[in-house]
Structure formats: structure tokens, C-alpha cells
Amino acid sequence: MSTPSTDAPARPRILSGMQPTSDSLHLGNYLGALVNWVSMQEDFDAYFFVADLHALTVPTDPEVVRRRTRVTAAQFIAGGVDPERSAVFCQSHVGPHPEVAWILACQTAMGEMNRMTQFKDKTAKGQNANVGLFTYPVLMAADILMYDAAFVPVGEDQRQHLEITRDLALRFNQRFGETFRVPEPYIPKASAKIMELTDPTSKMSGTNSPDKGILLLSDTEKQLRKKVMSAVTDTEAEVRFDPEAKPGVSNLLVVHSTLSGRSVEQLQADFAGRGYGDLKKEVADVVVEAVRPFQERMAELLDDPAELDRILARGVERARVVAAATTDRVRDAVGLLPAAR
């Protein structure tokens, strides 16, 4: 039986993805993930995918899924992911994803899935408790393991899923021989944690936040300004960074600082003696200016869907080569007969 490829690229491989579960990524996605993805291209053999199979865990409309998948891919590229350097592709275009997930599911205990906190959190908030949502971490494990990823960028909300991925890889290797590369977590350099505008104690989320609480990367200038100007602050008048006592003001300062490059300390000094209206107006200006080139590039890509599809096709060809080799190892390991050719 073959083992994880030793013909690894000169640079270690890294893999990450996002679901197309809303009509647009938001500012939190951009500052919390995409910015880091762009920098990762310098040091890693990077694979970035649109997790369209994962998106099916919620009730969907086929046309909406197709549209959102293209939008998400376009936004990856508009955000700075270079398809000449990184493989950009759709998860569903690589057939072995669910196949490897099934094989891994047969090595997974029910108790392990019962302990996954995201399933509990999402169903508690009213999401449909379907089997796909329950076994979501197994498909995520397959996503990672089939690309021999050395590293996976993780935030706190995904750390448990990477742990189950590592557990499954180690268990599989112990039972069937060295088959999977066991990935390590990659902790990106400190990135901004952007909170909701309507509830600054909650992280900005494309699935859980109300529309007026998130800054979508596709929002018009008018919409962006209205949302920022309506952001929740507090009854004081001092512009001060204090996430516990002043979460709304602190969030606006973080958004400004991250996009403008000016430190929070400098901004506090600049706004001394000035009110929240001045802060919100300046934050709105900074957001609009930062989003403009992104939106221009996104529009170019979405105006030419055939070219966007060609970009995804080139990315998936790279992905399939790696995925096929891993899938062959997995099939051989568990005793499945090779198909006649």
C-alpha cells in the first residue's frame, strides 16, 4: 500500500474553504480570513475552495446555490487570491470528497459526533437537525485529509473540527497503515475580529447576523454608510477602546484601524473631544474606500461567468490530481477493489 506522498511541493501545502451560504461575504470574512489567505500564498502551496457541499446542510434553492457559489469564488479572487498561484475550486467538482467522507464516517464513533459543539449550537438556534449537519465534521475531515495538507488555518470556532480530523487520520493510519498526512493547525498572524454592528458582543456572521448588523462586501456605498451610521454604541460620548464597557465603539475603532492602518491608540487621540457621529462618519468613509476596488474586481469577474468558470476549472484540475492519489490510497487501504480501466 502506498503512503502519503513524499513528492510534496517545495512549499508545504495549506488548505481552507468557505461556504456560499449568503449572497456575499462580509467584512469579517475579508479581514479575518481572506487577508490571511493572500499572505499565505507567499509561503505555501495553497488550495482554497468554495464549500458548496457543506452549504446543503440548510434548506436551499438550486439557483441560489449556483449564484452564491460563483459570487463566493469571485470574492476570493477579488480579495487577492491569485488563481495562478493558488488552486481555487468548488468542493463538489472533486467527486472523491463524499467518498472519502463515507469511508471516514465508518471509522467515526457516534459519541464523537455527539460532542461536536457546532451541531448543538446551530440546532439550538433553530437550524434543521439533518444528518448532513450532524456528520459535517467528517466531510470537513475528508476535505482536509485528501489534499495531504500540512497545515490548516483555524480560528477558535473550527479548532474542534481540526482536532477530530487529526484523530480520524491517526486512527485510520493505526488501523490500515500510513495513509493520511496528519495536518497541523496554522494559527495566522493576529487578525481583526469584527463584531456585529447591531450586537457588538457577537461576531459578525453571514448566517446568524441580521442584514443591518453586517457589512457585506457587495453592499452599495449608500448601504454601507447607513449601516455604519446606525451601529450600536452606548450612552456615553467618549471615543475610547474598551471592549468590555464599550463594545460598539471598540468595534468601530477596530474596523477603522484595520482598514486605515492607523493604530487604535492613535485613533483614540485623534477623536479626543469628538463625538460618535464623527467616528461613524470617518469609519464609513474608510469602509467605502477599502471596499471600492474589491467591488470593481468582483463585478468584472461576475460579468464574465464563462471566464470565472474557466478559472475554477483550472483550479479543480490541480485539486483532482492530489485528491485522486489520496483516494486511491484510501480505497486500497480499506480493501476496495480498483475499478477496471
Side-chain angles (χ1 to χ4, degrees):
M1 182 185 66
S2 59
T3 58
S5 173
T6 56
D7 299 326
R11 298 180 300 165
R13 186 171 294 135
I14 199 163
L15 174 127
S16 194
M18 289 188 201
Q19 291 189 54
T21 48
S22 63
D23 289 329
S24 172
L25 300 179
H26 55 73
L27 191 66
N29 298 134
Y30 176 68
L31 297 178
L34 273 180
V35 168
N36 284 318
W37 286 11
V38 173
S39 64
M40 288 172 194
Q41 297 177 117
E42 302 297 327
D43 301 314
F44 297 97
D45 178 37
Y47 285 64
F48 300 123
F49 66 96
V50 182
D52 50 350
L53 291 176
H54 287 295
L56 301 181
T57 60
V58 298
T60 54
D61 175 276
E63 286 305 316
V64 171
V65 173
R66 278 188 277 272
R67 184 186 74 245
R68 287 177 172 177
T69 298
R70 279 203 176 94
V71 167
T72 303
Q75 291 185 336
F76 285 0
I77 299 166
V81 172
D82 180 0
E84 296 300 320
R85 293 192 291 169
S86 303
V88 180
F89 61 101
C90 292
Q91 177 191 28
S92 65
H93 290 175
V94 184
H97 277 260
E99 178 183 352
V100 174
W102 171 255
I103 294 171
L104 288 174
C106 294
Q107 310 299 320
T108 307
M110 285 288 293
E112 290 176 302
M113 292 297 96
N114 281 326
R115 290 192 292 273
M116 292 289 104
T117 56
Q118 277 208 7
F119 177 79
K120 297 175 184 176
D121 293 344
K122 289 182 177 182
T123 52
K125 292 176 181 176
Q127 187 166 332
N128 182 24
N130 56 60
V131 174
L133 182 63
F134 185 68
T135 59
Y136 178 109
V138 180
L139 179 55
M140 181 178 284
D143 298 337
I144 296 167
L145 295 176
M146 68 194 309
Y147 293 101
D148 285 339
F151 296 98
V152 179
V154 292
E156 284 303 319
D157 57 341
Q158 296 295 338
R159 188 176 294 273
Q160 191 181 38
H161 287 166
L162 182 59
E163 289 172 358
I164 192 68
T165 298
R166 286 173 51 81
D167 289 345
L168 289 174
L170 290 167
R171 182 182 308 153
F172 194 98
N173 289 349
Q174 184 176 29
R175 179 173 178 183
F176 297 107
E178 291 297 319
T179 307
F180 290 121
R181 183 186 301 275
V182 182
E184 297 291 337
Y186 177 77
I187 309 301
K189 63 181 181 180
S191 56
K193 186 176 182 181
I194 307 302
M195 313 303 282
E196 264 189 36
L197 299 179
T198 52
D199 176 12
T201 63
S202 298
K203 187 177 177 182
M204 191 175 285
S205 166
T207 53
N208 297 322
S209 301
D211 179 66
K212 62 183 179 180
I214 56 177
L215 296 169
L216 296 175
L217 296 176
S218 61
D219 278 342
T220 64
E221 177 177 342
K222 182 178 179 180
Q223 289 172 321
L224 291 170
R225 291 187 183 279
K226 182 177 180 180
K227 289 178 180 181
V228 173
M229 295 305 295
S230 301
V232 169
T233 49
D234 52 60
T235 56
E236 297 180 6
E238 182 185 7
V239 176
R240 185 179 80 252
F241 185 76
D242 185 342
E244 293 296 323
K246 302 171 73 68
V249 172
S250 299
N251 189 42
L252 292 173
L253 287 170
V254 168
V255 170
H256 193 320
S257 174
T258 306
L259 293 176
S260 68
R262 292 156 63 188
S263 70
V264 169
E265 292 76 15
Q266 181 183 349
L267 291 173
Q268 286 184 116
D270 291 345
F271 283 98
R274 298 164 64 187
Y276 294 164
D278 286 348
L279 172 63
K280 290 181 177 181
K281 182 179 182 303
E282 194 165 308
V283 170
D285 290 341
V286 169
V287 169
V288 167
E289 192 61 30
V291 169
R292 183 176 291 117
F294 176 97
Q295 291 185 340
E296 291 172 354
R297 177 61 175 140
M298 181 177 69
E300 289 176 4
L301 291 161
L302 293 176
D303 285 345
D304 189 355
E307 174 58 21
L308 180 58
D309 288 351
R310 282 191 287 271
I311 291 172
L312 292 173
R314 291 198 300 270
V316 82
E317 283 308 309
R318 284 179 58 186
R320 282 174 179 158
V321 171
V322 181
T326 306
T327 305
D328 285 348
R329 294 198 309 267
V330 172
R331 290 175 59 88
D332 182 56
V334 298
L336 298 178
L337 288 177
R341 304 191 182 201

